């Protein structure tokens, strides 16, 4: 066997070993991290708020931005369209979900989190209506700001967001209190 053939065999062996390592170790680890990240995005306490910063907009009429923002929030897998009401600065977010299928506390926590994120990142949005198959909930900017106890613009900073919003949503009693304060209906 010539040196050239030995080099070819060595390079093929290295290629095969590299392929096995990438497909057998590296890719499964990347996929596991991605799967865990996606699972974390379904709950307000583990959701990555910093990923939402790119959706900040001064106008609720930017439908594409509003759509992408809500597709990055918890319950995004149940989204079923939107309706904008520019005369009242209201966005209706439709879900293909019966609320009886969810734990009441989890639903309330998600709605407060999602609505607050919408108000923080869309400057002129005044009300969000979450329409489910069996009910609807309207949440207002003014009530969210009173609940937060600070200007909503200040919550664009992820540290502020965590200290104000997440800390107020940690305990079940605080979730119920927040939901009853923010919901208009």
């Amino acid at each position: 066997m010539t040196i050239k053939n030995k080099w070819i065999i060595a390079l093929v062996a290295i290629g095969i070993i590299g392929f096995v390592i990438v497909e057998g170790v590296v890719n499964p680890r990347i996929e596991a991290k991605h799967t865990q990240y996606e699972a974390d995005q379904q709950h307000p306490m583990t959701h990555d708020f910093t990923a939402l910063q790119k959706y900040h907009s001064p106008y609720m009429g930017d439908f594409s931005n509003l759509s992408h923002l809500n597709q990055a929030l918890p319950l995004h897998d149940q989204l079923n369209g939107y309706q904008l009401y520019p005369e009242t600065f209201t966005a209706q977010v439709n879900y293909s979900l019966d609320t009886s299928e969810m734990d009441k506390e989890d639903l309330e926590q998600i709605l407060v989190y999602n609505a607050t994120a919408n108000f923080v990142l869309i400057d002129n949005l005044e009300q969000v209506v979450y329409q489910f198959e069996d009910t609807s909930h309207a949440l207002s900017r003014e009530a969210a700001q009173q609940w937060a106890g600070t200007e909503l613009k200040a919550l664009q900073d992820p540290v502020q967001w965590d200290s104000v919003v997440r800390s107020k949503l940690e305990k079940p009693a605080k979730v119920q209190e927040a939901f009853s304060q923010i919901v208009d209906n």
Side-chain angles (χ1 to χ4, degrees), residues 115-184:
T116 306
N118 273 278
F119 295 136
V120 166
L121 295 170
I122 301 175
D123 296 341
N124 73 340
L125 183 64
E126 292 298 323
Q127 185 176 42
V128 178
V129 177
Y130 291 107
Q131 182 67 48
F132 295 92
E133 290 179 354
D134 61 334
T135 188
S136 70
H137 301 285
L139 293 90
S140 72
R141 171 182 286 281
E142 183 179 329
Q145 187 160 317
Q146 287 176 354
W147 168 73
T150 185
E151 283 290 323
L152 293 179
K153 237 181 179 19
L155 298 178
Q156 290 175 3
D157 174 40
V159 174
Q160 280 290 97
W161 175 266
D162 288 344
S163 69
V164 173
V165 177
R166 282 196 221 273
S167 69
K168 289 186 175 193
L169 294 176
E170 285 179 341
K171 296 182 181 164
K174 289 190 173 198
V175 170
Q176 176 61 38
E177 177 185 331
F179 190 74
S180 64
Q181 284 179 352
I182 297 175
V183 174
D184 283 345

Side-chain angles (χ1 to χ4, degrees), residues 16-165:
I16 291 172
I17 291 170
F19 178 78
V20 168
I21 290 172
V22 168
E23 290 300 319
V25 178
V26 175
N27 284 348
R29 284 185 184 169
I30 292 171
E31 184 63 31
K33 284 181 183 179
H34 179 70
T35 301
Q36 182 60 46
Y37 179 80
E38 285 299 317
D40 289 347
Q41 300 318 294
Q42 293 300 316
H43 195 274
M45 302 314 287
T46 56
H47 185 266
D48 181 13
F49 181 75
T50 58
L52 302 177
Q53 298 299 315
K54 60 187 169 190
Y55 302 118
H56 178 257
S57 174
Y59 306 110
M60 55 107 18
D62 184 353
F63 183 80
S64 176
N65 186 69
L66 177 88
S67 167
H68 285 98
L69 169 61
N70 283 282
Q71 289 171 8
L73 288 168
L75 277 185
H76 68 269
D77 55 338
Q78 299 292 327
L79 281 170
N80 192 26
Y82 309 91
Q83 179 70 42
L84 300 181
Y85 300 96
E87 62 280 351
T88 59
F89 300 104
T90 300
Q92 179 177 313
V93 181
N94 302 315
Y95 290 100
S96 59
L97 173 72
D98 189 326
T99 58
S100 64
E101 298 173 11
M102 277 191 75
D103 178 63
K104 184 179 184 234
E105 179 188 315
D106 287 345
L107 178 65
E108 290 175 353
Q109 186 181 49
I110 289 170
L111 292 182
V112 170
Y113 184 91
N114 288 3
T116 306
N118 273 278
F119 295 136
V120 166
L121 295 170
I122 301 175
D123 296 341
N124 73 340
L125 183 64
E126 292 298 323
Q127 185 176 42
V128 178
V129 177
Y130 291 107
Q131 182 67 48
F132 295 92
E133 290 179 354
D134 61 334
T135 188
S136 70
H137 301 285
L139 293 90
S140 72
R141 171 182 286 281
E142 183 179 329
Q145 187 160 317
Q146 287 176 354
W147 168 73
T150 185
E151 283 290 323
L152 293 179
K153 237 181 179 19
L155 298 178
Q156 290 175 3
D157 174 40
V159 174
Q160 280 290 97
W161 175 266
D162 288 344
S163 69
V164 173
V165 177

